[in-house]
Amino acid sequence: MPQQDHLTARLVVDDDFEVAPVNNRLFGSFVEHLGRCVYTGIYEPDHPTADEHGFRKDVIDLVKELGATTIRYPGGNFVSGYRWEDGIGPKQERPRRLDLAWHSTETNEFGLHEMAEWLEATGGNELMEAVNLGTRGLQEALDLLEYANVPGGTELSERRRANGADKPFDIRMWCLGNEMDGPWQLGHKSAEDYGMLAASVAAGMRQIDPDVELVVCGSSAHGMPTFGKWEQTVLEKTYENVNFVSCHAYYQPFFKEDGTRDMASFLASGVDMDGFIKDVAATTKAHLKSAHDVYISFDEWNVWYQGEEPSKTPEGIGNWPVAPRLLEDIYTAADAVVFGDLMITLLKNADRVHAASLAQLVNVIAPIMTEPGGPAWRQTTFYPFSLTAKLAKGGTVLEPKLASGTYETDKYGEVPTINSVAVRGEDGTISVFVVNRSMEAANDFAIKLPEGFALSAVEAQTLHEDDLLAKNTLEDQNRVVLHPNTTITSDADTGTVRVTLPPVSWTAVHVK
Protein backbone atom coordinates (compact mmCIF):
# COMPACT_ATOMS: atom_id res chain seq x y z
CA MET A 1 0.00 0.00 0.00
CA PRO A 2 1.54 3.36 -0.97
CA GLN A 3 2.49 5.74 1.83
CA GLN A 4 0.13 8.70 2.20
CA ASP A 5 1.39 12.22 2.88
CA HIS A 6 -1.95 13.38 4.28
CA LEU A 7 -4.73 11.57 6.09
CA THR A 8 -8.17 12.94 7.02
CA ALA A 9 -10.30 12.75 10.16
CA ARG A 10 -13.47 14.43 11.36
CA LEU A 11 -14.88 15.22 14.79
CA VAL A 12 -18.56 16.14 15.17
CA VAL A 13 -19.25 18.18 18.30
CA ASP A 14 -22.81 17.82 19.52
CA ASP A 15 -24.06 19.84 22.50
CA ASP A 16 -26.90 17.38 23.10
CA PHE A 17 -24.66 14.50 24.13
CA GLU A 18 -22.66 15.12 27.30
CA VAL A 19 -20.26 12.65 28.91
CA ALA A 20 -19.81 14.43 32.24
CA PRO A 21 -18.64 17.67 33.83
CA VAL A 22 -14.87 17.94 34.16
CA ASN A 23 -13.90 17.40 37.79
CA ASN A 24 -11.02 19.75 38.59
CA ARG A 25 -9.40 16.89 40.50
CA LEU A 26 -8.52 15.41 37.09
CA PHE A 27 -5.64 17.89 37.06
CA GLY A 28 -4.07 16.65 40.26
CA SER A 29 -0.44 15.75 40.75
CA PHE A 30 1.72 13.87 43.20
CA VAL A 31 4.48 14.82 45.65
CA GLU A 32 6.29 11.83 47.15
CA HIS A 33 9.33 11.75 49.39
CA LEU A 34 11.31 10.24 46.52
CA GLY A 35 14.57 11.50 45.06
CA ARG A 36 14.54 15.30 44.68
CA CYS A 37 10.79 15.82 44.48
CA VAL A 38 10.66 17.46 47.93
CA TYR A 39 14.26 18.31 48.83
CA THR A 40 15.79 20.69 46.23
CA GLY A 41 12.50 20.34 44.35
CA ILE A 42 9.73 22.21 46.13
CA TYR A 43 11.77 22.78 49.32
CA GLU A 44 15.28 24.28 49.33
CA PRO A 45 15.82 26.80 52.15
CA ASP A 46 19.20 27.96 50.80
CA HIS A 47 17.92 28.65 47.28
CA PRO A 48 18.04 32.30 46.11
CA THR A 49 14.26 32.29 45.54
CA ALA A 50 13.34 30.53 48.82
CA ASP A 51 10.62 32.16 50.94
CA GLU A 52 10.48 32.24 54.75
CA HIS A 53 9.32 28.60 54.78
CA GLY A 54 12.15 27.38 52.55
CA PHE A 55 9.88 26.91 49.53
CA ARG A 56 11.33 27.64 46.10
CA LYS A 57 9.24 30.49 44.70
CA ASP A 58 10.38 29.76 41.14
CA VAL A 59 8.83 26.30 41.49
CA ILE A 60 5.65 27.72 43.04
CA ASP A 61 5.28 30.01 40.02
CA LEU A 62 5.62 27.06 37.63
CA VAL A 63 3.15 24.95 39.65
CA LYS A 64 0.62 27.77 39.37
CA GLU A 65 1.26 28.00 35.63
CA LEU A 66 0.92 24.22 35.29
CA GLY A 67 -2.57 24.39 36.78
CA ALA A 68 -2.19 21.43 39.13
CA THR A 69 -5.03 21.06 41.64
CA THR A 70 -5.20 18.20 44.15
CA ILE A 71 -1.78 17.02 45.36
CA ARG A 72 -1.39 13.41 46.52
CA TYR A 73 1.09 13.10 49.40
CA PRO A 74 3.43 11.66 50.86
CA GLY A 75 3.49 8.54 48.65
CA GLY A 76 3.62 6.31 46.75
CA ASN A 77 5.82 3.46 47.86
CA PHE A 78 7.32 5.77 50.49
CA VAL A 79 4.11 5.87 52.53
CA SER A 80 4.14 2.12 53.22
CA GLY A 81 6.99 2.58 55.70
CA TYR A 82 6.23 6.15 56.82
CA ARG A 83 5.51 7.25 60.40
CA TRP A 84 3.55 10.47 60.03
CA GLU A 85 4.57 11.62 63.54
CA ASP A 86 8.18 11.92 62.32
CA GLY A 87 7.22 14.91 60.17
CA ILE A 88 5.66 17.12 62.86
CA GLY A 89 7.03 19.25 65.69
CA PRO A 90 10.33 21.19 65.83
CA LYS A 91 12.46 20.32 62.81
CA GLN A 92 15.63 19.94 64.86
CA GLU A 93 13.95 17.23 66.92
CA ARG A 94 12.61 15.16 64.02
CA PRO A 95 14.25 11.74 63.55
CA ARG A 96 16.20 10.65 60.49
CA ARG A 97 14.86 7.35 59.15
CA LEU A 98 15.78 4.79 56.53
CA ASP A 99 13.37 4.88 53.57
CA LEU A 100 13.21 1.27 52.41
CA ALA A 101 11.11 2.07 49.34
CA TRP A 102 13.83 4.12 47.62
CA HIS A 103 16.92 3.09 49.65
CA SER A 104 17.43 6.62 50.91
CA THR A 105 17.61 8.55 54.18
CA GLU A 106 14.58 10.65 55.09
CA THR A 107 15.41 13.69 57.23
CA ASN A 108 11.74 14.49 57.95
CA GLU A 109 12.55 18.19 57.66
CA PHE A 110 9.42 18.42 55.48
CA GLY A 111 6.15 16.94 56.74
CA LEU A 112 2.40 17.47 56.98
CA HIS A 113 2.54 21.07 58.25
CA GLU A 114 5.05 22.09 55.59
CA MET A 115 2.91 20.44 52.91
CA ALA A 116 -0.17 22.34 54.04
CA GLU A 117 1.79 25.62 54.06
CA TRP A 118 3.22 24.89 50.61
CA LEU A 119 -0.24 24.18 49.20
CA GLU A 120 -1.42 27.50 50.58
CA ALA A 121 1.50 29.20 48.83
CA THR A 122 0.52 27.60 45.51
CA GLY A 123 -2.96 29.07 45.72
CA GLY A 124 -4.75 26.79 48.16
CA ASN A 125 -4.57 23.52 46.22
CA GLU A 126 -6.23 20.50 47.81
CA LEU A 127 -4.26 17.96 49.85
CA MET A 128 -4.92 14.27 49.15
CA GLU A 129 -3.31 12.40 52.06
CA ALA A 130 -2.18 8.78 51.98
CA VAL A 131 -2.08 6.58 55.10
CA ASN A 132 0.40 3.78 55.73
CA LEU A 133 -1.31 0.39 55.50
CA GLY A 134 1.96 -1.41 54.79
CA THR A 135 3.68 -1.47 58.17
CA ARG A 136 0.83 0.19 60.10
CA GLY A 137 -2.94 -0.03 60.34
CA LEU A 138 -6.19 1.18 61.86
CA GLN A 139 -4.94 2.99 64.97
CA GLU A 140 -2.24 4.97 63.18
CA ALA A 141 -4.73 6.03 60.47
CA LEU A 142 -7.22 7.16 63.12
CA ASP A 143 -4.50 9.09 64.95
CA LEU A 144 -3.49 10.93 61.77
CA LEU A 145 -7.10 11.78 60.93
CA GLU A 146 -7.71 13.08 64.46
CA TYR A 147 -4.52 15.15 64.33
CA ALA A 148 -5.41 16.59 60.93
CA ASN A 149 -9.16 17.15 61.03
CA VAL A 150 -10.49 17.46 64.59
CA PRO A 151 -10.70 21.18 65.52
CA GLY A 152 -9.41 20.81 69.08
CA GLY A 153 -10.01 19.47 72.56
CA THR A 154 -8.16 16.15 72.23
CA GLU A 155 -4.52 15.22 72.80
CA LEU A 156 -3.75 14.88 69.10
CA SER A 157 -5.71 17.90 67.87
CA GLU A 158 -4.16 20.06 70.58
CA ARG A 159 -0.73 18.77 69.57
CA ARG A 160 -1.44 20.03 66.04
CA ARG A 161 -2.41 23.41 67.43
CA ALA A 162 0.73 23.52 69.56
CA ASN A 163 2.71 22.74 66.40
CA GLY A 164 1.40 25.89 64.75
CA ALA A 165 -1.81 24.89 62.96
CA ASP A 166 -4.64 26.32 65.04
CA LYS A 167 -7.27 25.42 62.46
CA PRO A 168 -7.63 21.81 61.28
CA PHE A 169 -6.22 20.85 57.89
CA ASP A 170 -9.68 19.52 56.94
CA ILE A 171 -8.31 16.92 54.51
CA ARG A 172 -11.21 15.52 52.48
CA MET A 173 -9.55 12.88 50.29
CA TRP A 174 -7.56 9.96 51.75
CA CYS A 175 -5.74 7.05 50.10
CA LEU A 176 -6.00 3.80 52.04
CA GLY A 177 -2.43 2.68 51.43
CA ASN A 178 -0.56 2.43 48.14
CA GLU A 179 -0.22 -0.37 45.55
CA MET A 180 -0.86 -3.07 48.13
CA ASP A 181 -1.21 -5.60 45.30
CA GLY A 182 2.48 -5.17 44.40
CA PRO A 183 5.10 -7.64 45.73
CA TRP A 184 7.58 -4.72 45.79
CA GLN A 185 5.42 -2.90 48.35
CA LEU A 186 6.51 -2.91 51.99
CA GLY A 187 3.72 -4.79 53.75
CA HIS A 188 2.34 -6.25 50.50
CA LYS A 189 -0.90 -8.12 51.14
CA SER A 190 -3.30 -10.44 49.38
CA ALA A 191 -6.56 -8.95 48.14
CA GLU A 192 -8.38 -10.73 50.95
CA ASP A 193 -6.12 -9.37 53.68
CA TYR A 194 -5.90 -5.87 52.25
CA GLY A 195 -9.66 -5.72 51.68
CA MET A 196 -10.33 -6.62 55.32
CA LEU A 197 -7.82 -4.05 56.59
CA ALA A 198 -9.06 -1.30 54.27
CA ALA A 199 -12.65 -2.00 55.28
CA SER A 200 -11.84 -1.64 58.98
CA VAL A 201 -9.81 1.54 58.40
CA ALA A 202 -12.54 3.07 56.24
CA ALA A 203 -15.24 2.34 58.83
CA GLY A 204 -13.07 3.69 61.64
CA MET A 205 -12.18 6.88 59.81
CA ARG A 206 -15.86 7.56 59.13
CA GLN A 207 -16.57 7.32 62.85
CA ILE A 208 -14.32 10.37 63.29
CA ASP A 209 -15.23 12.24 60.09
CA PRO A 210 -18.21 10.78 58.19
CA ASP A 211 -17.63 12.99 55.17
CA VAL A 212 -14.10 11.95 54.24
CA GLU A 213 -13.65 10.67 50.68
CA LEU A 214 -11.70 7.41 50.65
CA VAL A 215 -9.64 5.82 47.88
CA VAL A 216 -9.14 2.07 48.08
CA CYS A 217 -6.16 0.49 46.28
CA GLY A 218 -6.94 -1.00 42.91
CA SER A 219 -4.36 -2.64 40.70
CA SER A 220 -0.99 -0.94 40.29
CA ALA A 221 -0.96 -1.79 36.56
CA HIS A 222 -3.36 -3.09 33.93
CA GLY A 223 -1.07 -6.06 33.37
CA MET A 224 -0.85 -7.25 37.00
CA PRO A 225 -1.56 -11.01 37.21
CA THR A 226 -4.17 -10.32 39.90
CA PHE A 227 -5.91 -7.55 37.93
CA GLY A 228 -9.68 -7.82 37.99
CA LYS A 229 -9.82 -10.43 40.72
CA TRP A 230 -8.06 -7.94 43.04
CA GLU A 231 -10.66 -5.23 42.39
CA GLN A 232 -13.53 -7.67 42.77
CA THR A 233 -12.30 -9.00 46.13
CA VAL A 234 -11.35 -5.62 47.59
CA LEU A 235 -14.56 -3.91 46.51
CA GLU A 236 -16.70 -6.72 47.88
CA LYS A 237 -15.33 -5.85 51.32
CA THR A 238 -15.12 -2.07 51.06
CA TYR A 239 -17.64 -0.88 48.47
CA GLU A 240 -20.18 0.86 50.70
CA ASN A 241 -17.50 2.72 52.69
CA VAL A 242 -15.23 4.04 49.91
CA ASN A 243 -15.66 6.63 47.18
CA PHE A 244 -12.88 5.73 44.75
CA VAL A 245 -10.83 2.79 43.55
CA SER A 246 -7.35 3.67 42.29
CA CYS A 247 -5.69 2.93 38.95
CA HIS A 248 -1.96 3.32 38.26
CA ALA A 249 -0.34 3.18 34.82
CA TYR A 250 3.03 4.12 33.34
CA TYR A 251 3.99 3.88 29.70
CA GLN A 252 7.24 3.72 27.73
CA PRO A 253 8.28 2.35 24.32
CA PHE A 254 8.58 -1.41 24.18
CA PHE A 255 11.44 -3.07 22.40
CA LYS A 256 10.97 -5.07 19.22
CA GLU A 257 12.78 -8.35 18.56
CA ASP A 258 15.46 -6.47 16.62
CA GLY A 259 16.21 -4.32 19.69
CA THR A 260 14.64 -1.09 18.38
CA ARG A 261 11.96 0.80 20.27
CA ASP A 262 8.38 0.18 19.23
CA MET A 263 7.37 3.81 18.77
CA ALA A 264 4.13 2.97 16.95
CA SER A 265 2.77 1.04 19.94
CA PHE A 266 4.06 3.65 22.39
CA LEU A 267 2.10 6.35 20.57
CA ALA A 268 -1.06 4.27 21.13
CA SER A 269 -0.60 4.01 24.92
CA GLY A 270 -3.93 5.78 25.40
CA VAL A 271 -5.63 2.67 24.00
CA ASP A 272 -4.38 0.65 26.96
CA MET A 273 -5.34 3.36 29.47
CA ASP A 274 -8.83 3.52 28.00
CA GLY A 275 -9.19 -0.25 28.26
CA PHE A 276 -7.91 -0.19 31.86
CA ILE A 277 -10.52 2.41 32.84
CA LYS A 278 -13.36 0.54 31.17
CA ASP A 279 -12.34 -2.76 32.78
CA VAL A 280 -12.26 -1.22 36.27
CA ALA A 281 -15.53 0.63 35.65
CA ALA A 282 -17.15 -2.67 34.71
CA THR A 283 -16.05 -4.11 38.07
CA THR A 284 -17.57 -1.20 39.98
CA LYS A 285 -20.81 -1.55 38.00
CA ALA A 286 -21.09 -5.13 39.24
CA HIS A 287 -22.47 -3.58 42.44
CA LEU A 288 -25.62 -2.36 40.71
CA LYS A 289 -27.83 -3.28 43.68
CA SER A 290 -26.13 -0.53 45.66
CA ALA A 291 -27.30 3.07 45.50
CA HIS A 292 -23.71 4.11 46.26
CA ASP A 293 -21.27 5.01 43.45
CA VAL A 294 -17.55 4.28 43.46
CA TYR A 295 -15.52 6.23 40.92
CA ILE A 296 -11.95 5.92 39.66
CA SER A 297 -9.03 7.88 41.04
CA PHE A 298 -6.29 7.47 38.43
CA ASP A 299 -3.83 8.69 41.01
CA GLU A 300 -0.60 7.65 39.29
CA TRP A 301 -0.10 8.07 35.57
CA ASN A 302 2.73 9.22 33.33
CA VAL A 303 5.43 8.24 30.88
CA TRP A 304 8.22 6.53 32.83
CA TYR A 305 11.31 4.72 31.52
CA GLN A 306 11.32 2.32 34.44
CA GLY A 307 14.18 0.06 33.45
CA GLU A 308 16.67 2.75 32.55
CA GLU A 309 19.53 4.38 34.43
CA PRO A 310 17.69 7.33 36.10
CA SER A 311 15.32 4.84 37.77
CA LYS A 312 18.00 2.71 39.45
CA THR A 313 17.93 3.03 43.24
CA PRO A 314 21.06 3.08 45.43
CA GLU A 315 22.36 -0.19 46.82
CA GLY A 316 24.40 -1.31 49.82
CA ILE A 317 23.98 -1.43 53.59
CA GLY A 318 26.06 1.72 54.05
CA ASN A 319 24.65 3.71 51.14
CA TRP A 320 21.45 5.54 52.13
CA PRO A 321 21.79 9.02 50.56
CA VAL A 322 19.55 12.01 51.27
CA ALA A 323 17.48 13.08 48.27
CA PRO A 324 19.50 11.35 45.53
CA ARG A 325 18.77 11.98 41.87
CA LEU A 326 16.21 9.27 41.16
CA LEU A 327 13.73 8.76 38.31
CA GLU A 328 14.85 12.00 36.62
CA ASP A 329 13.65 11.13 33.12
CA ILE A 330 14.20 13.92 30.61
CA TYR A 331 11.18 13.86 28.31
CA THR A 332 11.18 14.02 24.53
CA ALA A 333 8.73 15.57 22.11
CA ALA A 334 7.30 12.09 21.44
CA ASP A 335 6.85 11.55 25.20
CA ALA A 336 4.87 14.79 25.39
CA VAL A 337 2.56 13.68 22.57
CA VAL A 338 1.85 10.39 24.35
CA PHE A 339 1.36 12.34 27.57
CA GLY A 340 -1.20 14.59 25.84
CA ASP A 341 -2.94 11.50 24.47
CA LEU A 342 -3.26 10.13 28.02
CA MET A 343 -4.83 13.42 29.14
CA ILE A 344 -7.35 13.17 26.31
CA THR A 345 -8.18 9.63 27.44
CA LEU A 346 -8.78 10.75 31.02
CA LEU A 347 -11.12 13.50 29.82
CA LYS A 348 -13.03 11.11 27.54
CA ASN A 349 -13.73 8.98 30.62
CA ALA A 350 -14.75 11.89 32.88
CA ASP A 351 -17.98 10.08 33.78
CA ARG A 352 -15.96 7.39 35.61
CA VAL A 353 -12.63 9.10 36.38
CA HIS A 354 -13.35 11.80 38.96
CA ALA A 355 -9.75 12.32 40.09
CA ALA A 356 -6.27 11.80 38.65
CA SER A 357 -2.75 12.53 39.84
CA LEU A 358 0.15 13.05 37.47
CA ALA A 359 3.11 11.24 39.00
CA GLN A 360 5.04 13.29 39.88
CA LEU A 361 5.28 17.08 40.15
CA VAL A 362 8.95 18.10 40.40
CA ASN A 363 12.19 16.37 39.28
CA VAL A 364 10.87 12.80 39.65
CA ILE A 365 9.33 11.82 36.26
CA ALA A 366 7.96 15.33 36.38
CA PRO A 367 6.85 18.26 34.20
CA ILE A 368 9.03 20.62 36.26
CA MET A 369 12.79 20.23 36.72
CA THR A 370 15.13 22.09 39.06
CA GLU A 371 18.84 22.40 39.65
CA PRO A 372 19.97 22.80 43.29
CA GLY A 373 20.84 26.47 43.75
CA GLY A 374 19.98 27.03 40.10
CA PRO A 375 17.02 27.41 37.74
CA ALA A 376 13.70 25.63 37.36
CA TRP A 377 12.33 24.84 33.90
CA ARG A 378 9.49 23.18 32.01
CA GLN A 379 9.80 19.69 30.58
CA THR A 380 8.09 18.90 27.26
CA THR A 381 5.16 17.30 29.14
CA PHE A 382 4.48 20.56 30.97
CA TYR A 383 2.77 22.06 27.93
CA PRO A 384 -0.08 19.59 27.24
CA PHE A 385 -0.94 19.53 30.94
CA SER A 386 -0.96 23.30 31.45
CA LEU A 387 -2.98 24.15 28.34
CA THR A 388 -5.50 21.35 28.90
CA ALA A 389 -5.97 22.44 32.51
CA LYS A 390 -6.41 26.05 31.42
CA LEU A 391 -9.05 25.27 28.79
CA ALA A 392 -10.90 22.29 30.30
CA LYS A 393 -11.29 23.14 34.01
CA GLY A 394 -14.92 23.72 34.87
CA GLY A 395 -16.07 22.51 31.47
CA THR A 396 -18.21 19.61 30.28
CA VAL A 397 -16.94 16.76 28.13
CA LEU A 398 -19.06 16.19 25.05
CA GLU A 399 -19.47 12.70 23.64
CA PRO A 400 -16.85 12.27 20.90
CA LYS A 401 -18.14 11.39 17.44
CA LEU A 402 -14.85 10.79 15.68
CA ALA A 403 -14.20 9.38 12.24
CA SER A 404 -10.54 8.46 11.85
CA GLY A 405 -8.33 6.09 9.95
CA THR A 406 -6.38 3.36 11.70
CA TYR A 407 -2.87 1.96 11.80
CA GLU A 408 -1.36 -1.33 12.95
CA THR A 409 0.66 -1.76 16.14
CA ASP A 410 2.53 -4.79 17.45
CA LYS A 411 1.14 -4.44 20.98
CA TYR A 412 -2.44 -3.19 20.57
CA GLY A 413 -3.33 -4.33 17.07
CA GLU A 414 -5.26 -1.90 14.84
CA VAL A 415 -5.80 1.44 16.59
CA PRO A 416 -7.24 4.85 15.57
CA THR A 417 -4.71 7.25 14.08
CA ILE A 418 -6.46 10.15 15.82
CA ASN A 419 -7.52 10.48 19.44
CA SER A 420 -9.61 13.53 20.32
CA VAL A 421 -12.04 15.00 22.83
CA ALA A 422 -14.19 18.14 22.92
CA VAL A 423 -14.93 20.16 26.05
CA ARG A 424 -17.54 22.91 26.31
CA GLY A 425 -16.21 25.61 28.61
CA GLU A 426 -18.11 27.48 31.29
CA ASP A 427 -17.99 30.52 29.02
CA GLY A 428 -19.60 28.66 26.11
CA THR A 429 -16.38 28.27 24.13
CA ILE A 430 -15.37 24.86 22.81
CA SER A 431 -11.93 23.34 23.17
CA VAL A 432 -10.84 20.32 21.16
CA PHE A 433 -7.74 18.35 22.13
CA VAL A 434 -6.35 16.04 19.47
CA VAL A 435 -3.36 13.77 18.89
CA ASN A 436 -2.09 12.54 15.54
CA ARG A 437 -0.41 9.19 16.27
CA SER A 438 0.83 8.65 12.72
CA MET A 439 4.61 8.66 12.40
CA GLU A 440 4.54 9.41 8.68
CA ALA A 441 1.49 11.38 7.64
CA ALA A 442 -0.02 14.74 8.51
CA ASN A 443 -3.77 14.73 9.09
CA ASP A 444 -6.32 17.19 7.74
CA PHE A 445 -8.64 17.38 10.73
CA ALA A 446 -12.14 18.83 10.45
CA ILE A 447 -14.28 19.86 13.44
CA LYS A 448 -18.03 20.24 12.88
CA LEU A 449 -19.38 22.59 15.56
CA PRO A 450 -22.84 22.31 17.14
CA GLU A 451 -25.80 23.70 15.24
CA GLY A 452 -26.29 27.38 16.04
CA PHE A 453 -22.81 27.89 17.50
CA ALA A 454 -21.90 31.54 16.85
CA LEU A 455 -18.33 31.07 15.70
CA SER A 456 -16.31 34.28 16.10
CA ALA A 457 -12.63 33.28 16.45
CA VAL A 458 -10.42 30.20 16.47
CA GLU A 459 -6.88 29.49 17.53
CA ALA A 460 -4.74 26.38 17.74
CA GLN A 461 -1.47 25.49 19.43
CA THR A 462 0.54 22.43 18.50
CA LEU A 463 3.40 20.51 20.08
CA HIS A 464 5.42 18.86 17.33
CA GLU A 465 9.08 18.39 16.46
CA ASP A 466 10.61 16.78 13.41
CA ASP A 467 13.14 15.32 15.83
CA LEU A 468 10.95 13.09 18.01
CA LEU A 469 13.74 12.84 20.59
CA ALA A 470 14.16 16.61 21.09
CA LYS A 471 14.24 17.50 24.81
CA ASN A 472 14.29 20.47 27.17
CA THR A 473 17.45 20.37 29.29
CA LEU A 474 19.32 22.55 31.76
CA GLU A 475 21.43 23.82 28.85
CA ASP A 476 18.51 24.25 26.41
CA GLN A 477 15.36 24.78 28.46
CA ASN A 478 13.05 25.88 25.62
CA ARG A 479 14.01 23.46 22.84
CA VAL A 480 10.43 22.06 22.75
CA VAL A 481 7.50 24.43 23.27
CA LEU A 482 3.99 24.96 21.93
CA HIS A 483 3.68 26.83 18.63
CA PRO A 484 0.67 28.55 17.04
CA ASN A 485 -0.75 26.29 14.34
CA THR A 486 -1.16 28.66 11.41
CA THR A 487 -3.02 26.12 9.25
CA ILE A 488 -6.24 26.62 11.17
CA THR A 489 -9.23 27.97 9.23
CA SER A 490 -12.91 28.38 10.01
CA ASP A 491 -16.17 28.73 8.10
CA ALA A 492 -18.93 30.36 10.13
CA ASP A 493 -21.55 29.53 7.49
CA THR A 494 -20.98 25.76 7.76
CA GLY A 495 -19.78 25.80 11.38
CA THR A 496 -16.60 23.98 10.45
CA VAL A 497 -13.03 24.40 11.67
CA ARG A 498 -10.10 22.79 9.86
CA VAL A 499 -6.53 22.32 10.98
CA THR A 500 -3.57 20.29 9.75
CA LEU A 501 -2.02 18.04 12.37
CA PRO A 502 1.67 17.18 11.77
CA PRO A 503 2.81 13.58 12.32
CA VAL A 504 3.31 12.69 16.01
CA SER A 505 1.71 15.87 17.35
CA TRP A 506 -0.60 17.14 20.08
CA THR A 507 -2.89 20.09 19.35
CA ALA A 508 -5.37 22.19 21.31
CA VAL A 509 -8.02 24.06 19.32
CA HIS A 510 -9.98 26.82 21.08
CA VAL A 511 -13.17 28.01 19.38
CA LYS A 512 -14.80 31.19 20.62
Side-chain angles (χ1 to χ4, degrees):
M1 186 175 180
Q3 196 66 259
Q4 294 175 279
D5 292 329
H6 276 259
L7 303 172
T8 59
R10 176 180 171 88
L11 178 74
V12 177
V13 180
D14 192 333
D15 248 350
D16 292 334
F17 295 92
E18 298 179 351
V19 175
V22 177
N23 193 310
N24 284 352
R25 284 175 169 169
L26 279 177
F27 303 102
S29 191
F30 181 23
V31 169
E32 181 173 0
H33 286 247
L34 193 182
R36 297 193 308 113
C37 187
V38 173
Y39 305 109
T40 73
I42 67 176
Y43 178 79
E44 189 178 349
D46 295 331
H47 193 270
T49 71
D51 66 11
E52 68 275 17
H53 300 292
F55 306 147
R56 287 185 57 150
K57 289 189 284 188
D58 58 346
V59 172
I60 288 173
D61 289 342
L62 287 176
V63 170
K64 290 179 178 179
E65 181 186 338
L66 183 69
T69 54
T70 305
I71 304 295
R72 183 171 177 249
Y73 174 83
N77 293 354
F78 172 81
V79 80
S80 289
Y82 182 53
R83 308 176 213 198
W84 67 267
E85 307 95 325
D86 290 348
I88 63 174
K91 292 185 181 183
Q92 65 274 16
E93 297 177 11
R94 297 181 189 177
R96 292 165 69 95
R97 302 279 191 192
L98 296 183
D99 166 23
L100 275 61
W102 303 108
H103 203 90
S104 306
T105 296
E106 174 55 50
T107 68
N108 286 304
E109 191 176 344
F110 189 101
L112 177 58
H113 286 257
E114 287 76 25
M115 190 64 199
E117 290 167 346
W118 183 80
L119 287 169
E120 192 63 32
T122 63
N125 288 343
E126 181 183 14
L127 173 57
M128 176 183 180
E129 183 79 7
V131 299
N132 175 0
L133 295 189
T135 60
R136 309 188 97 179
L138 174 59
Q139 187 61 60
E140 292 85 359
L142 297 180
D143 288 349
L144 175 54
L145 178 58
E146 180 184 331
Y147 183 91
N149 281 15
V150 172
T154 69
E155 194 276 331
L156 287 168
S157 61
E158 290 300 324
R159 193 190 308 178
R160 181 201 70 244
R161 297 179 69 194
N163 286 332
D166 185 57
K167 294 181 179 178
F169 296 124
D170 192 31
I171 303 169
R172 293 295 92 208
M173 200 169 180
W174 296 79
C175 299
L176 303 179
N178 175 76
E179 294 186 353
M180 299 311 299
D181 64 323
W184 58 84
Q185 199 72 204
L186 194 61
H188 160 63
K189 295 172 176 60
S190 67
E192 183 81 16
D193 289 346
Y194 169 70
M196 290 179 66
L197 175 59
S200 69
V201 173
M205 291 179 75
R206 291 202 185 281
Q207 286 185 253
I208 294 176
D209 188 342
D211 297 324
V212 290
E213 299 175 63
L214 303 177
V215 185
V216 74
C217 287
S219 294
S220 51
H222 197 185
M224 291 293 289
T226 55
F227 172 67
K229 181 64 175 175
W230 173 275
E231 279 79 2
Q232 181 182 350
T233 301
V234 169
L235 287 173
E236 281 174 357
K237 299 182 181 302
T238 63
Y239 191 87
E240 293 298 332
N241 253 345
V242 300
N243 306 90
F244 299 89
V245 58
S246 70
C247 292
H248 292 180
Y250 296 99
Y251 297 97
Q252 68 182 82
F254 300 92
F255 285 94
K256 298 181 180 180
E257 291 183 2
D258 62 4
T260 60
R261 294 190 188 274
D262 183 0
M263 187 63 75
S265 295
F266 177 49
L267 290 167
S269 295
V271 172
D272 178 80
M273 177 187 263
D274 188 67
F276 192 4
I277 292 168
K278 286 179 170 53
D279 288 344
V280 173
T283 304
T284 64
K285 288 176 183 175
H287 296 262
L288 290 178
K289 293 179 181 178
S290 173
H292 176 62
D293 285 320
V294 172
Y295 296 101
I296 291 171
S297 173
F298 217 118
D299 49 40
E300 288 190 30
W301 69 274
N302 205 345
V303 173
W304 176 16
Y305 290 76
Q306 296 185 55
E308 303 201 5
E309 188 63 35
S311 292
K312 291 184 178 179
T313 55
E315 297 177 347
I317 189 65
N319 184 28
W320 297 82
V322 174
R325 291 179 183 260
L326 292 178
L327 282 63
E328 296 194 13
D329 287 353
I330 305 301
Y331 290 120
T332 66
D335 294 334
V337 171
V338 172
F339 182 100
D341 196 340
L342 298 175
M343 293 205 76
I344 289 170
T345 304
L346 290 170
L347 283 171
K348 287 170 72 171
N349 288 282
D351 56 335
R352 297 308 309 171
V353 182
H354 282 204
S357 300
L358 165 63
Q360 293 187 14
L361 186 59
V362 184
N363 287 329
V364 175
I365 52 172
I368 299 169
M369 294 298 294
T370 71
E371 191 63 20
W377 67 96
R378 304 164 189 82
Q379 288 241 54
T380 61
T381 55
F382 184 100
Y383 296 100
F385 191 105
S386 62
L387 189 52
T388 305
K390 179 182 177 181
L391 296 178
K393 277 181 185 175
T396 299
V397 177
L398 303 176
E399 185 176 319
K401 298 179 180 179
L402 177 66
S404 165
T406 61
Y407 74 102
E408 193 68 30
T409 68
D410 289 349
K411 187 165 182 64
Y412 306 118
E414 191 173 345
V415 303
T417 305
I418 297 295
N419 191 22
S420 184
V421 67
V423 177
R424 183 182 64 236
E426 290 180 298
D427 58 359
T429 63
I430 289 176
S431 296
V432 173
F433 307 98
V434 56
V435 160
N436 181 8
R437 295 167 172 164
S438 172
M439 294 177 63
E440 293 87 18
N443 198 295
D444 294 325
F445 186 60
I447 303 166
K448 180 68 174 68
L449 298 171
E451 292 294 328
F453 185 87
L455 193 159
S456 63
V458 295
E459 58 185 10
Q461 296 190 66
T462 293
L463 191 148
H464 162 76
E465 296 291 336
D466 291 335
D467 178 5
L468 298 183
L469 303 183
K471 303 176 178 180
N472 295 343
T473 63
L474 174 62
E475 296 76 22
D476 191 357
Q477 297 172 16
N478 298 299
R479 169 66 182 83
V480 180
V481 298
L482 289 169
H483 295 284
N485 190 321
T486 57
T487 68
I488 193 161
T489 60
S490 62
D491 185 334
D493 292 334
T494 62
T496 302
V497 174
R498 299 182 185 277
V499 63
T500 300
L501 311 174
V504 189
S505 65
W506 176 90
T507 297
V509 177
H510 189 47
V511 188
K512 301 176 183 178

